[in-house]
Amino acid sequence: MKKIFNFALLVSAALMLTGCSANVVGKFDNFNETFKGTIDLDMQGNGIIKVKSSPSGITCKGKGWITFIPISSRLLGTCKGQQGEAKLKCNDGRIITGEWKCQSCTRISGTAESNKGEDITFFITPKSKKAEEMLENYKTEVSSKQGLNGEEKDIMETLF
């Protein structure tokens, strides 16, 4: 009976993710640059990622996939502990590779690096409100840093 219940939970979780989209937000850790976009998921947990950065407007597209599902996740039908990778190509020549880990089915965090050595932090959630909160936090964290393409912040903008 327990196996049937666990299987039903797993199928339910998979069906909830089928064809669904989640929000992706992030920041370049050492630059005044954030990004937001979506990941469209399939039933196997793979996804197509599309993001656009701000203020530079760089667009990136790529894939994300699961690399590890803990036995507890399989038995309980949860996402906690699942891990994966992502690779995106950007319209300015950047290639971004990253890793992510699920804290829950609605809280996924990760880190990445560009082929230019830039560190990136990102967050994935189906909840729009949570994504906007995280994006605002990221914007605040990087607001005093130089621009991604080397442009200095205007001193008046920094003061006010």
Side-chain angles (χ1 to χ4, degrees), residues 114-131:
S114 77
N115 59 333
K116 295 185 176 192
E118 300 148 337
D119 293 324
I120 297 166
T121 301
F122 63 92
F123 184 79
I124 303 170
T125 182
K127 299 180 178 183
S128 297
K129 186 175 181 179
K130 183 63 180 172

Side-chain angles (χ1 to χ4, degrees), residues 8-70:
L9 281 174
L10 186 59
V11 169
S12 296
L15 288 174
M16 288 189 312
L17 292 176
T18 303
C20 84
S21 285
N23 303 289
V24 179
V25 295
K27 65 175 178 149
F28 284 76
D29 295 346
N30 297 313
F31 299 94
N32 182 20
E33 192 80 18
T34 58
F35 60 86
K36 68 178 182 175
T38 59
I39 179 169
D40 296 317
L41 301 166
D42 66 16
M43 193 158 170
Q44 289 80 35
N46 300 309
I48 302 296
I49 305 164
K50 297 176 187 171
V51 296
K52 184 174 183 178
S53 74
S54 178
S56 68
I58 298 166
T59 58
C60 306
K61 182 178 179 182
K63 295 182 179 183
W65 58 92
I66 294 173
T67 59
F68 175 73
I69 301 174

Side-chain angles (χ1 to χ4, degrees), residues 68-70 72-73 78-84 100-104:
F68 175 73
I69 301 174
S72 61
S73 183
T78 69
C79 302
K80 186 175 182 176
Q82 291 184 16
Q83 297 175 29
W100 51 265
K101 185 173 184 178
C102 293
Q103 289 75 45
S104 72

